[in-house]
Amino acid sequence: MPKVAPELQYSDEHEWVSRGDGNSVSVGISEVATDALGDIVYVDLPEVGSTVTAGETCGEVESTKSVSDLYSPVTGEVTEINDAVVSDPALINNDPYGAGWLFKVAAESDGPLLSAQEYASKNGGDLA
């Protein structure tokens, strides 16, 4: 069963949020999502300096099975993207909560987010 990291918050669309210093957050996709997608072969991320809006699409994740929209769980300015996952999208499958993070945002506000327990209960994951 896919793992759900207990220290993170999650969106209904399977993105996770990790809080850094101040209003900085890192965003990625959950292991529940990577399991459903299969092998990820391409990722399209928002550009640094662009504004993302909670609940709206901001990129795409392409796997051997399908193409899925990437939704921002927060509203704010993109401050960094993970070039490593652009070069090697398999990092997302191999380490979705670590090296497979997608982008960082200077968050102005959050969209509706679930606790790890709520997300795991709703999506059948195990708290790691």
Side-chain angles (χ1 to χ4, degrees), residues 9-16 71-73 112-114 119 123:
Q9 291 180 292
Y10 298 84
S11 70
D12 279 331
E13 292 82 20
H14 306 289
E15 287 80 19
W16 56 257
Y71 294 88
S72 181
L113 296 173
L114 304 169
Y119 181 80
N123 295 287

Side-chain angles (χ1 to χ4, degrees), residues 38-56:
D39 293 333
I40 297 170
V41 296
Y42 175 77
V43 63
D44 177 34
L45 300 176
E47 293 184 19
V48 172
S50 66
T51 299
V52 292
T53 302
E56 294 189 8

Side-chain angles (χ1 to χ4, degrees), residues 48-77:
V48 172
S50 66
T51 299
V52 292
T53 302
E56 294 189 8
T57 59
C58 62
E60 288 182 341
V61 177
E62 185 177 334
S63 72
T64 54
K65 293 182 182 178
S66 66
V67 176
S68 298
D69 285 330
L70 181 63
Y71 294 88
S72 181
V74 298
T75 297
E77 182 179 331

